[in-house]
């Protein structure tokens, strides 16, 4: 996926922006409670971090906790998406009330009226790393050794599985392309999920793979050759126009999620989103050719 394709997927969001949601203001005065806002059911978009069935299992207890504590809400339903851009489109256009977004997706679309509620925490931290790894039986030891090789990655709009790996390779002197161009010094094979990226490497189909550190195995057969700077974990966001009272209720419920509701989850808890949290992601995105400031202007352009 290139930048034009992504921007095209956000074209519908421009309508929301024009309606006055860019400043994140509370535009929906008609819904003062969660049940009025959700109309009984909250739909929650899930990007392809992992296999869709695995994600549904991980979020099941959390969804049940949410539904039980929100008056008038009968159910919270996970809505798996097939791409990172599809996840942001679903919540920006209001097809789902909530979404779990990758850091880069949030950084790119933060001005589209969506409201960050909480940030995910895992292993006692609100940040993680991107790994580039290879098999121990290869002769690859450094990023420079990947010239002319094939590297599996997750998705162009995955922070730890796309953006940061390409940034690390770029800093190592390799031409990995950007959002508008293909790499010339190596080949990228987009796997679709962190698990699939690792499995492609493990099966010997590629020379190296990039994925989030949470996917790295406790196995000497797979060797890490590069690690990114800390990347803030993904946020949970609410659709544009969500009233402040609803946002406060949802945030409080998420932050108070008990440990037992997260036993099968990939995260430990939900925490507060502090100002500037995603600035490093935005900086890397801009270095790699993603110009946050003209998302809307470019959305009207040719998308061939």
């Amino acid at each position: 996926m290139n930048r034009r394709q992504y921007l095209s997927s956000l074209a519908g969001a421009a309508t929301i922006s024009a309606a006055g949601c860019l400043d994140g203001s509370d535009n929906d005065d008609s819904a003062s409670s969660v049940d009025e806002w959700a109309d009984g059911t909250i739909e929650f978009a899930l990007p392809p971090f992992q296999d869709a069935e695995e994600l549904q299992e991980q979020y099941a207890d959390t969804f049940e906790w949410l539904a039980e504590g929100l008056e008038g809400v009968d159910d919270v339903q996970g809505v798996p998406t097939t791409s990172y851009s599809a996840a942001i489109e679903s919540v920006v256009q209001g097809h789902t009330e909530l979404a779990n977004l990758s850091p880069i997706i949030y950084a790119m679309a933060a001005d589209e009226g969506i409201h960050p509620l909480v940030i995910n925490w895992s292993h006692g931290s609100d940040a993680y790393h991107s790994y580039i790894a290879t098999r121990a039986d290869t002769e690859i030891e450094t990023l420079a050794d990947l010239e002319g090789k094939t590297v599996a990655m997750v998705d162009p709009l995955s922070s730890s599985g796309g953006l940061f790996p390409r940034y690390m390779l770029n800093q190592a002197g390799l031409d990995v392309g950007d959002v508008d161009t293909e790499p010339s010094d190596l080949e990228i094979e987009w796997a679709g999920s962190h698990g699939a990226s690792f499995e492609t490497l493990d099966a010997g189909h590629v020379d190296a793979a990039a994925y989030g550190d949470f996917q790295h195995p406790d196995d000497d057969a797979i060797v890490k050759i590069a690690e990114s700077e800390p990347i803030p974990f993904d946020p949970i966001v609410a659709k544009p126009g969500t009233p402040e009272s609803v946002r406060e209720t949802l945030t409080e419920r998420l932050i108070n999620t008990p440990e037992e509701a997260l036993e099968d989850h990939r995260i430990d808890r939900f925490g507060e989103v502090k100002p500037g949290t995603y600035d490093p992601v935005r900086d890397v995105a801009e270095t790699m050719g993603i110009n946050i400031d003209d998302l809307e202007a470019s959305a009207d352009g040719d998308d061939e």
Side-chain angles (χ1 to χ4, degrees):
M1 176 186 298
N2 61 31
R3 180 167 175 250
R4 288 178 177 177
Q5 289 172 313
Y6 171 73
L7 293 170
S8 177
S9 75
L10 283 183
T15 302
I16 297 172
S17 299
C21 294
L22 282 174
D23 61 357
S25 60
D26 181 352
N27 291 332
D28 188 354
D29 296 328
S30 63
S32 59
S33 62
V34 176
D35 59 324
E36 292 175 320
W37 169 77
D39 195 24
T41 299
I42 294 176
E43 292 190 305
F44 190 117
L46 297 169
F49 295 119
Q50 295 167 262
D51 176 79
E53 185 175 342
E54 292 177 351
L55 280 175
Q56 290 280 25
E57 292 174 357
Q58 286 184 18
Y59 278 87
D61 290 342
T62 303
F63 289 162
E64 184 177 351
W65 162 259
L66 269 176
E68 288 176 350
L70 300 174
E71 185 177 354
V73 174
D74 300 320
D75 193 17
V76 178
Q77 298 177 353
V79 180
T81 59
T82 57
S83 70
Y84 286 75
S85 57
I88 183 57
E89 184 178 11
S90 72
V91 72
V92 166
Q93 297 197 17
H95 302 315
T96 58
E97 283 74 30
L98 302 177
N100 197 136
L101 303 181
S102 78
I104 177 57
I105 285 288
Y106 174 69
M108 292 173 73
D111 293 335
E112 295 299 330
I114 53 178
H115 303 283
L117 302 177
V118 294
I119 184 173
N120 294 327
W121 280 63
S122 182
H123 297 91
S125 176
D126 61 355
Y128 66 121
H129 299 83
S130 171
Y131 284 177
I132 298 179
T134 188
R135 295 181 306 281
D137 60 5
T138 70
E139 297 181 355
I140 298 170
E141 297 180 352
T142 68
L143 293 179
D145 294 334
L146 292 175
E147 184 172 2
K149 306 295 185 182
T150 300
V151 181
M153 296 189 187
V154 178
D155 183 286
L157 297 179
S158 165
S159 299
S160 60
L163 177 68
F164 276 77
R166 292 176 85 172
Y167 176 76
M168 288 190 286
L169 289 163
N170 174 273
Q171 296 300 295
L174 296 177
D175 183 344
V176 293
D178 56 27
V179 291
D180 291 319
T181 62
E182 295 296 324
S184 61
D185 285 341
L186 53 80
E187 181 177 348
I188 297 175
E189 182 174 314
W190 299 107
S193 71
H194 293 268
S197 184
F198 166 74
E199 289 165 8
T200 302
L201 170 65
D202 192 42
H205 299 315
V206 294
D207 301 295
Y211 44 74
D213 57 13
F214 50 84
Q215 190 65 52
H216 196 64
D218 184 14
D219 186 344
D220 293 339
I222 303 297
V223 180
K224 178 181 66 175
I225 58 176
E227 177 179 326
S228 73
E229 294 295 320
I231 306 169
F233 269 113
D234 35 304
I236 291 177
V237 305
K239 66 182 180 179
T242 299
E244 183 177 0
S245 59
V246 173
R247 302 198 307 265
E248 290 175 350
T249 299
L250 292 169
T251 297
E252 181 180 6
R253 186 66 179 173
L254 284 165
I255 288 178
N256 289 317
T257 303
E259 291 184 8
E260 54 266 28
L262 296 169
E263 286 181 355
D264 298 323
H265 210 297
R266 64 189 184 92
I267 67 167
D268 302 332
R269 69 181 181 89
F270 301 105
E272 178 186 356
V273 181
K274 298 178 181 178
T277 294
Y278 294 94
D279 287 352
V281 180
R282 182 182 291 255
D283 292 343
V284 170
E286 291 180 344
T287 298
M288 295 306 295
I290 302 172
N291 191 330
I292 308 295
D293 293 333
D294 31 39
L295 278 175
E296 278 187 55
S298 297
D300 295 329
D302 186 339
D303 62 349
E304 293 179 355

